[in-house]
Amino acid sequence: MKQRIPVAWQKLNRMLTAGLLVLIVIFSAPGLSADQRPTLLVMGDSLSAAYGIEQEQGWVTLLAERLKDEVQVVNASISGETTSGGAQRLASIIGQRQPDIVLLELGGNDGLRGLPPTQMRANLASMIEQSQQAGADVLLLGIDIPPNYGQAYRDAFTGVFHSLANEYNVALVPFLLEGVALNDELMQSDGIHPTAEAQPIILENVWPELEPLLDSVVSASSS
């Protein structure tokens, strides 16, 4: 992450005040019944919503392509989303989609706004609990913030993901943008969002923790 992120965030914040359109993208193979396949739900922000690049280049679309017809991937990510917004939306989406796996990729915008990590933790905990109560496995996708926010805040922020993973016994990707965030060639000019070239790397960061969950639900659905 770069020192210029707070400046870029001001531009993103102006975009948010203009309003956001809730968009749920469903990736499914033609001719296959979605009811016969497990459902994977991605609740994220711009990092999962393919901000600044073509939708088909995003790591969630790449994931759907890798899974082919075995799993239905529902991308309910919104650019600018906070954990508060995600927690408010999740119950309705779970009721509609009944996911088997929920990927939670939220918190970055909380950090960029300097919101209390305790508030972020409570929102993420609520989302984990909602998902588990619905019978879904959860994968938590961690994120980091720039060092200019202060080391104490940064430690508290990143510590939220680890403590939640331990408390709720959920899988964790410690840093979604590992190998990406500090590489200027893999980041867009705003210093916040990865380029199209970075998306396969992001998917590979997620895959080792996601694959065991997928194996479990696919096996269960076919038995």
Side-chain angles (χ1 to χ4, degrees):
M1 293 288 185
K2 309 302 176 189
Q3 295 286 339
R4 60 182 178 275
I5 284 179
V7 175
W9 169 242
Q10 293 175 6
K11 298 179 181 178
L12 183 57
N13 192 46
R14 287 196 295 270
M15 179 193 74
L16 293 176
T17 59
L20 289 169
L21 174 65
V22 177
L23 175 64
I24 298 179
V25 181
I26 303 176
F27 304 90
S28 59
L32 292 172
S33 171
D35 292 339
Q36 297 175 353
R37 292 175 291 142
T39 296
L40 183 154
L41 171 65
V42 181
M43 291 290 296
D45 52 33
S46 56
L47 299 180
S48 299
Y51 179 89
I53 60 177
E54 296 297 325
Q55 189 70 45
E56 60 266 22
Q57 296 175 316
W59 74 268
V60 179
T61 303
L62 299 180
L63 172 62
E65 292 172 352
R66 178 177 293 189
L67 297 178
K68 296 181 180 178
D69 60 352
E70 290 188 336
V71 176
Q72 178 182 219
V73 177
V74 177
N75 190 1
S77 302
I78 300 178
S79 293
E81 183 73 290
T82 62
T83 58
S84 177
Q88 292 173 17
R89 291 194 298 127
L90 183 60
S92 175
I93 297 173
I94 286 180
Q96 294 171 10
R97 304 300 175 187
Q98 299 180 346
D100 299 277
I101 299 174
V102 176
L103 272 60
L104 297 180
E105 183 274 299
L106 288 169
N109 289 307
D110 294 59
L112 291 175
R113 293 182 180 186
L115 299 178
T118 52
Q119 175 182 313
M120 181 181 80
R121 190 185 195 285
N123 291 330
L124 287 172
S126 173
M127 298 179 76
I128 293 172
E129 291 172 3
Q130 290 181 63
S131 301
Q132 291 181 333
Q133 288 168 6
D137 292 324
V138 175
L139 174 56
L140 196 57
L141 306 181
I143 195 67
D144 202 349
I145 54 174
N148 54 295
Y149 279 79
Q151 194 60 45
Y153 182 82
R154 192 180 183 192
D155 289 344
F157 178 88
T158 57
V160 165
F161 299 102
H162 293 275
S163 66
L164 286 172
N166 291 332
E167 179 178 349
Y168 290 95
N169 192 29
V170 299
L172 171 67
V173 175
F175 184 32
L176 181 65
L177 300 185
E178 184 69 40
V180 172
L182 297 180
N183 187 336
D184 287 336
E185 295 182 357
L186 296 177
M187 297 296 289
Q188 297 180 40
S189 59
D190 62 8
I192 299 175
H193 300 98
T195 63
E197 291 74 18
Q199 303 302 309
I201 300 174
I202 296 173
L203 176 56
E204 292 310 316
N205 289 341
V206 173
W207 188 253
E209 296 297 334
L210 177 58
E211 187 177 22
L213 302 182
L214 290 168
D215 289 343
S216 177
V217 299
V218 170
S219 297
S221 66
S222 60
S223 60

